[in-house]
Amino acid sequence: MNSPRRVLLIAEAANPEWASVPLVGWSLARAISLETPAHIVTQLRNRDAFVRAGLREGEDFTALDTERFLAPLWRFTTWLRGGSTQAWTVQTALTSMAYPLFEREVWRRFGSAIHEGRFSLVHRITPLTPTAPSLLAKRCAKAGVPFVMGPLNGGVPWPKGFDAERRREREWLSYVRPAYKLLPGYRSTLTHASAIIAGSRFTLGALPAAQRAKSFYLPENAIDPARFYRQAKPYESGPLKACFIGRLVPYKGPDMLLEAALPLLAAGRLTLDVIGDGPLMPQLKAFVEQHRLAAAVRLHGWVAHQQVQDLLCQTHLLPFPSVREFGGGVVLEAMALGVVPMVVDYAGPAELVDDSVGFKVPLGSREQIVARFRERLQALVDDPSALAAMSRRCVQRVSSSFTWQAKAWQVLSVYDWVLGRREAKPEPLSVVVTSAIHPRESPA
């Protein structure tokens, strides 16, 4: 019988009380640790949140302190970005400079245990960016311990025709982003990794051909059934109810959505809840006032995450015309509740949606996206009969393949291939759980 896996999980960014990458880092690390013996290594800033979540320091996790280097770098990065909501490429590039210090501390603390075989495998979950090399990959290889990295994601190219939005997001460094492949340690990291998990098809395609045999596609986002447990009421009659969720910035397209939906909103055939805040809020308010849409459009502003579900469950459709999303977690959250997504056929959301669970609108210029969303919305309002079956399939798909428990089993299938417990290279997304509540036996 195979001995139990014992995994060292590197999740520098992991926090159950935050959003974005830290929530992904926490959720995946925690889900894996519930399915196989594991120890999580994270940054000191996450320690208190781990303890509040019920984990025991020293037994379940170790918190390493590199804040003396990271804190001033973070302050400088925030100043350079002009705030904390723009120029994400700059943040990724500069904070990646401090990451090797974290891995040196990991090796100082756990290098002997790795050499002694106390861990059967080391998995670096965060950073999610493929631009951050790892010194652990080569050291683990020398110690004879497999090193897994990922999910890696990011750097989806800005689509043509949206250069103005790119500049407004202060993404000037994105023009030279491909240069990261020239960084010291980049090729060595990929060469010495035993498996590479890509969180998007773009990232998978960007990996060197020599590494494809050990690369796996697995979107990084998932949902927690304990947080998304309700279900939207099916459409019966009256106006179709839609909801947009996201930062109110040009590339996410809330202004495009209002323009596309204008005839239906004005006619009382569609209502729209807009959840989120950002620099476009004054423009959206002016649009609603100019076209007298107060009865059809509610601009909620920022809403606490636990309350988003309450609003979303009152709707039938999530129209989301963002032109540059890496993961599309909001799409999965909507699907988990049975709210049918309508997305642009580009990047992360388009990888989560197919014709059985939602609608994909072809990418184009701003004018083309507005026209295509308008056409699709009009057709759906005229005949909403497809929504009920799509809603059921949305819930089923998320429940079987996109919970954190399912994600853990999908990653474990990669572990078992790396450790020689299965001969055939797995396709992680084909690994499903039969229930969002009750775990099933190992796919190995």
Side-chain angles (χ1 to χ4, degrees), residues 248-427:
L248 304 185
V249 293
Y251 79 86
K252 287 186 180 284
D255 54 334
M256 292 192 289
L257 177 58
L258 274 179
E259 186 177 342
L262 175 57
L264 296 170
L265 295 168
R269 303 187 67 194
L270 180 73
T271 66
L272 178 63
D273 287 277
V274 178
I275 300 174
D277 207 345
L280 284 184
M281 179 63 88
Q283 179 181 329
L284 301 185
K285 287 182 176 179
F287 187 94
V288 170
E289 183 176 333
Q290 176 188 352
H291 295 283
R292 301 180 181 179
L293 300 176
V297 179
R298 291 192 296 173
L299 301 172
H300 294 271
W302 182 86
V303 173
H305 196 263
Q306 58 268 30
Q307 296 173 353
V308 171
Q309 179 179 189
D310 297 333
L311 293 169
L312 191 54
C313 274
Q314 299 172 22
T315 66
H316 314 111
L317 183 71
L318 180 87
F320 191 60
S322 178
V323 298
R324 191 173 182 263
E325 294 291 321
F326 301 146
V330 67
V331 174
L332 285 180
E333 292 174 359
M335 290 171 61
L337 303 176
V339 177
V340 176
M342 180 183 292
V343 303
V344 173
D345 191 4
Y346 185 66
E351 296 182 11
L352 303 173
V353 176
D354 59 33
D355 293 342
S356 69
V357 295
F359 306 94
K360 292 200 285 190
V361 174
L363 178 66
S365 66
R366 174 191 168 85
E367 292 75 19
Q368 289 171 326
I369 290 175
V370 168
R372 290 164 181 170
F373 261 81
R374 177 175 293 178
E375 179 182 357
R376 179 65 74 175
L377 287 169
Q378 180 70 59
L380 193 57
V381 166
D382 288 343
D383 181 11
S385 59
L387 285 176
M390 281 186 167
S391 174
R392 291 191 295 270
R393 288 192 291 265
C394 281
V395 174
Q396 182 181 15
R397 178 169 299 181
V398 173
S399 179
S400 64
S401 298
F402 287 98
T403 65
W404 288 113
Q405 181 200 17
K407 197 72 64 178
W409 283 118
Q410 290 158 357
V411 171
L412 292 186
S413 73
V414 176
Y415 290 175
D416 287 340
W417 179 78
V418 166
L419 295 171
R421 298 183 177 203
R422 58 185 303 162
E423 292 185 12
K425 182 182 177 183
E427 294 184 9

